[in-house]
Amino acid sequence: MRGGFARPVISLQHAPDLHSLRALLALLALVALSGCSLFREPPAPEPVEAPIAASEAEPAASEPEAASAPEAASEPAETPGAKPAPKKPRPPLIRRHKPAPPPPVAASAPPAPPPAPLVQTHTLERGTFRTLLDSEVRKPDGKVVGRAVDMVAGPGGKPQEVVVNLQGFMGVGDRKANFPWSAVHINTPAKTPAITLALTPAQLQTPERPKSGAPQPGSPEAGPTRLPMLDANVERANGAKVGRVVDVLLGGSADPLAVVLDVSGTLEKRRTIAADWSALHFVTKNNALEAQLEMSDQQIDASPAYANDLPVRAVSPAAPPATPAAPAAPAAPAVPAHGDQ
């Protein structure tokens, strides 16, 4: 054994007695034991577990607890030379994918504006106008002298004459006569003669029947400045036919308000519409006065039908939609003169 005090060599020959020898041996043994304990390495301290802090809050019961790692204190202490214990595989952490939010709802596009009307209408109430064809014509004294059969229009569509079929005796001797339009007065109340001729007795005297071969007075012949309206064809500027005039509607001041057009096709059922008088254009073509109306087939089909017992809706072509004005170009910068520096 290492360490301790040196042992003195004692000769047994000089030992005083046996008791002294035993005491000396016990003393040496005690000294040897104490010397060994002085050089022995102290034992390693045992690991002390860290105290758990009391201030740590417990996880909320509503939240899912995550898988906690095993505590270090539960693992056995590694002994030198021993193989480490295999670690338990951790379960894979499952992450729940959040459902994708629904796509945003696209804002609904504003409703498309309604298409522009093809025609525009002007309502004429019954009792505010009279029809021309076959209307009774009377003198200022109230006597009926005949019936209107036509109206002659001049340049610009201004009425010039009214053509009256004068009555003879028992239907014999009927003849046509022209009277100036300035003498025509319109009576709008129903069940009354529609036209009153404000003429003098001399003007109302019918001329004698002309001889054979001579032109008859009152014959509604067309010319460059005259257009008999009844049975006249109304065309477009390109020559396409729109319809045939079958009547004229007259207002209380003897001004024409509309013409009734027969727009029936060759094989179609008869259909009539009322065209506003202001929509007509009177032009001279081939040395003759003509009435024109710029209405397409689609506009004619979109026009309301004319009926004798209903309010009249006089049609005219709708104005084209206004196009937005183009933005003004920026003004060019002024170029300084050569003398300005």
Side-chain angles (χ1 to χ4, degrees):
M1 184 180 295
R2 295 180 181 179
F5 298 97
R7 298 177 181 176
V9 179
I10 302 173
S11 176
L12 296 175
Q13 296 178 1
H14 302 288
D17 52 13
L18 182 58
H19 294 285
S20 300
L21 181 57
R22 290 179 178 175
L24 180 60
L25 291 174
L27 180 60
L28 291 175
L30 181 60
V31 172
L33 292 174
S34 62
C36 291
S37 63
L38 291 175
F39 294 98
R40 185 178 299 173
E41 296 180 359
E46 296 182 0
V48 181
E49 296 181 359
I52 300 176
S55 61
E56 294 182 358
E58 295 183 357
S62 61
E63 299 180 358
E65 297 182 359
S68 60
E71 298 180 358
S74 63
E75 295 181 356
E78 295 183 359
T79 57
K83 294 183 180 180
K87 295 183 179 181
K88 295 181 179 180
R90 295 184 180 181
L93 182 61
I94 300 175
R95 296 184 178 180
R96 296 181 179 178
H97 298 282
K98 295 182 178 180
V105 179
S108 58
L118 297 177
V119 294
Q120 54 188 7
T121 60
H122 174 62
T123 304
L124 304 176
E125 297 291 342
R126 295 286 175 176
T128 61
F129 66 90
R130 300 297 293 268
T131 59
L132 172 69
L133 183 61
D134 206 29
S135 295
E136 288 184 335
V137 180
R138 66 181 179 181
K139 296 187 297 183
D141 58 3
K143 181 180 179 180
V144 176
V145 295
R147 292 181 178 274
V149 293
D150 207 344
M151 183 189 79
V152 179
K158 184 177 180 180
Q160 290 184 343
E161 297 174 343
V162 58
V163 181
V164 181
N165 188 25
L166 299 176
Q167 297 176 354
F169 180 73
M170 298 295 292
V172 179
D174 292 354
R175 58 188 182 275
K176 295 178 181 178
N178 292 13
F179 298 96
W181 193 261
S182 57
V184 173
H185 290 180
I186 302 299
N187 306 312
T188 56
K191 298 181 180 180
T192 59
I195 298 176
T196 299
L197 291 177
L199 298 174
T200 62
Q203 291 175 325
L204 285 175
Q205 289 180 359
T206 60
E208 294 181 0
R209 188 176 301 274
K211 297 179 181 180
S212 61
Q216 296 183 5
S219 57
E221 296 180 357
T225 59
R226 293 169 54 86
L227 176 62
M229 293 302 301
L230 272 300
D231 289 333
N233 289 328
V234 178
E235 301 177 349
R236 304 187 185 104
N238 58 3
K241 183 179 178 180
V242 175
R244 179 177 61 88
V245 179
V246 295
D247 209 343
V248 179
L249 306 184
L250 303 174
S253 57
D255 51 334
L257 302 179
V259 291
V260 182
L261 297 177
D262 184 356
V263 294
S264 306
T266 306
L267 301 177
E268 294 179 359
K269 185 179 179 180
R270 184 179 180 184
R271 181 171 179 266
T272 56
I273 64 173
D276 200 299
W277 184 267
S278 62
L280 298 177
H281 303 282
F282 293 84
V283 297
T284 302
K285 185 177 179 181
N286 299 328
N287 201 27
L289 189 63
E290 295 183 358
Q292 295 181 356
L293 177 62
E294 292 300 326
M295 287 187 66
S296 63
D297 294 339
Q298 292 79 7
Q299 290 174 323
I300 294 175
D301 294 340
S303 301
Y306 171 82
N308 292 327
D309 54 347
L310 296 176
V312 178
R313 289 183 290 173
V315 300
S316 58
T323 56
V335 179
H338 292 286
D340 298 339
Q341 298 291 338

